Amino acid sequence: MAKNLVIVESPTKAKTIKKFLGKNYDVIASEGHIRDLPKSSMGIDIDNDYEPHYITIRGKGELLATLKKASKKADFVYLATDPDREGEAISYHLSVALKLEDKKFKRITFNEITKNAVKTSIKNARTVDMDLVDAQQARRVVDRLVGYEISPLLWEKLGKKSLSAGRVQSVALKMISDREKEIEAFIPKEYWTIEADVKVPGQKGLVSFEYKGELTDGKEAEDLKKKLMKSDFIVSDIKTSTRTKKAPVPFTTSTLQQTAASKINFSTSKTMRVAQQLYEGVEIKGRGTVGLITYLRTDSTRISEEADANVRQYIRDTFGAEYEAEKTEPTGDKAKNIQDAHEAIRPTDVTITPAVLKGNVTAEQYKLYKLIYERFVGSRMKPAEYSIYTVTISADDSLFKASSSTVTFAGYQNVYNTEEEKAKKAVNLGGIQKGDKLDCEEIRTLQHFTEPPSHYTESLLVRTMEENGIGRPSTYAPTIATLLNRRYIVREQKNLYITELGQAVNNVMENAFPEIVDIDFTANMETLLDSIGDGKTDWKVVVRNFYPDLENEIKHASENLEKIKIADEVSDEFCEECGAQMVVKYGSYGKFLACPNFPECRFTKHYFERIGVACPDCGGDIVRKTTRKGRPFYGCINYPECEFTSWNRLVDKKCPKCGKYMIIKGKKVVCSDNECGYTEDRPEED
């Protein structure tokens, strides 16, 4: 009998696939890439039309020898790496490294690791798609040119050789920086609301009705309250309406990362790691190793006809035919450059419910599978239906409203529900009739201030990157991980903050390479890379058009960076070990003081940048500090005796209105007390 060899990427995947194929198949893992660009040099021959130079990855020699030996023994080789551009590139490099002849190998792909999918892929084996290989190659070449050309300039500028720039990571860093600037410059605006607590027939306790009007200050609110206290509260209008809420579509990579962050508190990297485990296969008692979900890197919400039929049958059997959604194309927000190369992320077998799985998998695997499973089943169920009852009350010429919402048909919410929907408390307004006079027990005036834009979280950053066409499903998690690992950003309570080091890197990129950090430029590059994969554009044309502009920017930046190169700033403090005058250095946690006689003397100490402002609490110097994770703030030099801190820089001036300390917000100097609200323009020279 003929002996066939199947090469996959991971040992777990090999184990899962092996049981689907007969004894005439050997399955071996390449453990990712076999060949890649060298780490020690750029590996791009710019003078030879940007020809890449690939080498065998260090440490893969023994594995490559094993693969060569197995491929020579085999009558036929199937390259079964992941069904995306990177997987296509790995298959191509395997065919080159193993010196496979065209008649001896084929490429197979499957969106899920099931017996049917694997056997079908072998029947539909094809040649390697060189358009997809070229698209991946173009991405690697462009990213390599950016990283290896710009990074040395960052080393020169900031004196730290662990710094790096990247085509996608630099844009993401700028997005975080811009958001921080927006938040810092935000000045809250005061507004007021009024609530009337009213007795409602048939309802225990009081019902709060909200005033439908705008109030900008406390005096206006108090004047209206006095007027309302003398007024009758008459029911002037009652409306009954219906509302439907459609089921969400199945998960894409982006929406899975966002939802996993909000519902089960997973970081993007953790979500992808656990999803990879579910895709490659998990040992289930009585079933062996089973691939539980479809491929995890996708921007499509489409599912196969077979999967659609199976889940609909499951819904009819479990919930009843009345819960099955109409057979129409699912709608949802789609990115501009959606590739639709794969299905959405879904369970491979709808009969493997979370209950069946519990006890066979880790807690992390269970949580993520349950999320994917419930979203998928819910996507083929009918919308939830609500009855909305809205009551309007008139008090003189002021209107107050309250609404109650009742679920009349749960639909998909029997399976997939959000915490917000579960938390809603029903209010019974059915006992009210138009013209009724209601007793108002209390009128409350409430002061509010407008909120600044939200800090980026990982999920919000992923959503914004997707909306702007920055990166692709496979790049979101690695991009954020790189920024965190480089200490350009830190994560605190889910929020992402730019560090002092990250801000310094971003300043260089914005000034020297504005096109690289331009969102539209980066999105356009992604579109060009997509067109290479579609066979519409030659990959070298994209690189030829890109590199000359980059080269000119690098030459220009090199000249300017030499002129403005930052020398070590000499401090007014002296080394406690050798007596030399200490200098200011940059580190992973921001600035620190170091002895200039390094490496002979290695003494260092904290650097405190005095800003010339006295502490409002104790009169000591206010200094610029950084948190352990690198986020800058301002605090008293006398800590821990004095614990005064502020996220905003203070100015040497008291508020003329209330006497409290003042802070900088963008182009304004504002009172630190929001209730005071005093602001003035920041001096031009500042």
Side-chain angles (χ1 to χ4, degrees):
M1 295 288 289
K3 198 72 173 177
N4 301 298
L5 174 66
V6 179
I7 302 178
V8 296
E9 286 178 69
S10 78
T12 304
K13 195 173 174 182
K15 181 182 176 183
T16 309
I17 290 172
K18 177 68 177 173
K19 72 172 193 173
F20 299 144
L21 303 171
K23 60 183 178 179
N24 295 315
Y25 287 86
D26 282 336
V27 185
I28 302 179
S30 70
E31 298 179 20
H33 287 271
I34 287 290
R35 298 200 313 161
D36 199 4
L37 298 170
K39 285 188 176 181
S40 58
S41 61
M42 184 185 294
I44 310 295
D45 190 346
I46 295 170
D47 296 328
N48 187 25
D49 201 18
Y50 308 100
E51 197 63 33
H53 171 60
Y54 295 103
I55 61 170
T56 301
I57 295 173
R58 182 177 293 180
K60 289 288 186 83
E62 188 176 332
L63 176 59
L64 182 58
T66 301
L67 290 169
K68 281 182 177 178
K69 187 176 179 181
S71 64
K72 284 180 180 178
K73 284 184 179 179
D75 295 314
F76 203 83
V77 178
Y78 292 99
L79 302 175
T81 51
D82 285 349
D84 57 13
R85 292 172 186 172
E86 189 168 5
E88 203 73 21
I90 293 173
S91 283
Y92 167 73
H93 287 297
L94 280 168
S95 70
V96 174
L98 302 179
K99 298 179 181 177
L100 299 177
E101 299 175 5
D102 289 345
K103 293 182 180 179
K104 192 179 177 179
F105 82 96
K106 288 285 185 183
R107 169 83 166 118
I108 60 173
T109 59
F110 32 83
N111 195 49
E112 57 188 73
I113 305 177
T114 60
K115 185 174 183 178
N116 183 49
V118 172
K119 292 204 165 186
T120 300
S121 72
I122 290 176
K123 291 178 184 176
N124 297 316
R126 58 172 173 79
T127 59
V128 171
D129 188 332
M130 289 308 298
D131 290 332
L132 297 180
V133 173
D134 286 344
Q136 179 64 19
Q137 186 163 246
R139 180 181 294 276
R140 290 286 288 129
V141 168
V142 169
D143 289 350
R144 180 59 68 104
L145 289 170
V146 170
Y148 275 65
E149 293 277 28
I150 296 179
S151 295
L153 289 171
L154 294 178
W155 306 342
E156 180 185 355
K157 169 71 175 175
L158 300 175
K160 188 173 175 61
K161 284 205 169 186
S162 63
L163 303 179
S164 73
R167 184 179 59 86
V168 176
Q169 83 175 50
S170 296
V171 178
L173 182 64
K174 183 179 184 300
M175 290 166 64
I176 296 169
S177 173
D178 289 346
R179 178 58 61 89
E180 289 297 297
K181 289 174 184 175
E182 278 185 71
I183 294 169
E184 287 175 10
F186 180 81
I187 299 173
K189 290 184 179 179
E190 181 184 14
Y191 69 97
W192 289 72
T193 58
I194 294 181
E195 292 180 358
D197 292 341
V198 178
K199 279 186 178 180
V200 172
Q203 172 72 40
K204 290 182 180 180
L206 301 174
V207 176
S208 291
F209 281 73
E210 184 180 347
Y211 170 66
K212 309 313 287 184
E214 293 184 3
L215 299 168
T216 56
D217 60 58
K219 184 179 183 305
E220 186 182 7
E222 283 299 323
D223 289 346
L224 180 57
K225 176 181 176 179
K226 290 176 183 177
K227 180 181 175 183
L228 291 169
M229 290 174 70
K230 301 174 184 176
S231 304
D232 292 332
F233 284 73
I234 309 296
V235 177
S236 58
D237 190 29
I238 297 176
K239 285 185 179 177
T240 302
S241 59
T242 58
R243 180 171 68 91
T244 60
K245 188 170 184 180
K246 289 184 178 180
V249 294
F251 282 127
T252 63
T253 303
S254 168
T255 54
L256 177 62
Q257 290 174 348
Q258 293 169 50
T259 309
S262 63
K263 294 194 78 169
I264 55 177
N265 202 27
F266 278 18
S267 66
T268 53
S269 56
K270 184 176 183 177
T271 298
M272 297 307 284
R273 172 173 55 80
V274 177
Q276 186 76 32
Q277 295 165 2
L278 296 175
Y279 166 68
E280 291 183 350
V282 175
E283 189 74 26
I284 298 179
K285 192 174 181 179
R287 295 178 185 245
T289 307
V290 180
L292 291 171
I293 65 169
T294 52
Y295 193 54
L296 58 148
R297 295 179 180 88
T298 177
D299 50 13
S300 172
T301 57
R302 175 180 58 82
I303 67 170
S304 69
E305 290 183 8
E306 181 184 5
D308 185 64
N310 289 340
V311 71
R312 288 178 180 278
Q313 185 61 54
Y314 174 81
I315 291 167
R316 290 194 293 271
D317 294 343
T318 307
F319 301 98
E322 68 273 20
Y323 280 89
E324 182 190 352
E326 301 295 329
K327 288 192 178 182
T328 56
E329 279 297 311
T331 59
D333 294 332
K334 287 193 173 186
K336 293 179 289 184
N337 299 317
I338 195 165
Q339 295 173 48
D340 204 38
H342 316 297
E343 288 188 61
I345 303 170
R346 61 166 176 81
T348 57
D349 184 349
V350 75
T351 65
I352 304 178
T353 65
V356 169
L357 208 58
K358 200 163 191 177
N360 289 285
V361 295
T362 66
E364 291 177 347
Q365 291 169 343
Y366 173 77
K367 286 179 182 177
L368 193 63
Y369 181 77
K370 185 172 184 288
L371 198 63
I372 294 168
Y373 184 93
E374 292 175 350
R375 174 91 163 214
F376 172 62
V377 174
S379 73
R380 264 46 192 177
M381 296 176 73
K382 282 185 177 176
E385 296 176 3
Y386 299 83
S387 175
I388 312 296
Y389 196 76
T390 304
V391 175
T392 302
I393 295 176
S394 297
D396 284 340
D397 55 352
S398 299
L399 297 179
F400 288 78
K401 285 189 179 183
S403 295
S404 66
S405 174
T406 306
V407 178
T408 55
F409 180 70
Y412 77 91
Q413 290 183 6
N414 268 342
V415 176
Y416 185 82
N417 210 337
T418 65
E419 293 304 316
E420 303 85 66
E421 287 161 349
K422 289 178 181 176
K424 284 180 181 175
K425 185 179 178 182
V427 178
N428 180 15
L429 299 174
I432 298 177
Q433 300 294 323
K434 189 173 181 179
D436 284 354
K437 180 180 176 182
L438 302 179
D439 292 331
C440 179
E441 295 288 316
E442 183 183 0
I443 298 173
R444 286 173 285 117
T445 59
L446 304 170
Q447 184 187 35
H448 308 274
F449 292 93
T450 54
E451 295 289 331
S454 300
H455 288 281
Y456 276 119
T457 59
E458 289 192 32
S459 60
L460 179 58
L461 184 60
V462 166
R463 188 175 79 194
T464 310
M465 289 173 69
E466 183 184 41
E467 288 172 351
N468 286 283
I470 306 300
R472 285 296 177 263
S474 61
T475 64
Y476 302 138
T479 296
I480 294 171
T482 298
L483 293 174
L484 288 166
N485 292 337
R486 296 284 183 187
R487 300 198 64 81
Y488 293 170
I489 62 173
V490 293
R491 182 174 51 227
E492 293 180 8
Q493 301 294 319
K494 289 190 176 184
N495 290 335
L496 301 177
Y497 300 94
I498 192 164
T499 64
E500 186 173 15
L501 180 63
Q503 192 59 64
V505 170
N506 183 63
N507 288 343
V508 175
M509 294 300 297
E510 282 192 296
N511 292 326
F513 306 100
E515 196 170 65
I516 294 296
V517 294
D518 181 74
I519 289 177
D520 292 336
F521 173 81
T522 307
N524 184 56
M525 177 59 71
E526 294 290 357
T527 303
L528 288 172
L529 294 173
D530 289 345
S531 72
I532 296 169
D534 295 335
K536 298 175 182 176
T537 308
D538 184 277
W539 77 270
K540 285 195 174 180
V541 171
V542 173
V543 180
R544 288 180 202 133
N545 290 334
F546 168 75
Y547 184 71
D549 290 338
L550 175 66
E551 188 176 32
N552 289 334
E553 283 189 343
I554 289 168
K555 286 179 180 177
H556 182 265
S558 295
E559 294 169 3
N560 284 279
L561 286 171
E562 287 174 359
K563 292 174 184 175
I564 63 170
K565 182 179 177 182
I566 297 175
D568 288 334
E569 178 186 343
V570 180
S571 75
D572 56 1
E573 299 200 33
F574 294 87
C575 177
E576 295 175 16
E577 293 187 2
C578 72
Q581 198 163 0
M582 301 187 78
V583 296
V584 181
K585 294 278 190 181
Y586 273 97
S588 298
Y589 298 91
K591 292 178 180 178
F592 65 98
L593 290 176
C595 181
N597 294 328
F598 179 87
E600 289 77 17
C601 180
R602 295 176 175 268
F603 181 77
T604 62
K605 65 187 296 186
H606 288 297
Y607 171 76
F608 293 125
E609 177 188 335
R610 290 171 171 81
I611 65 170
V613 178
C615 174
D617 289 353
C618 75
D621 284 336
I622 292 294
V623 295
R624 192 174 191 270
K625 299 182 177 183
T626 55
T627 65
R628 281 188 175 185
K629 293 186 176 182
R631 185 183 173 196
F633 70 100
Y634 298 88
C636 183
I637 199 168
N638 294 327
Y639 177 86
E641 288 77 16
C642 178
E643 297 186 345
F644 175 84
T645 58
S646 170
W647 290 116
N648 293 92
R649 187 182 182 103
L650 284 70
V651 297
D652 189 19
K653 181 178 182 178
K654 299 292 184 183
C655 175
K657 185 176 176 182
C658 72
K660 295 186 178 178
Y661 70 92
M662 299 187 71
I663 56 177
I664 293 173
K665 281 187 169 287
K667 295 182 178 181
K668 297 283 185 180
V669 176
V670 307
C671 180
S672 57
D673 186 347
N674 282 340
E675 292 192 17
C676 171
Y678 177 80
T679 67
E680 61 183 46
D681 291 334
R682 188 174 171 184
E684 287 290 333
E685 63 271 17
D686 192 36

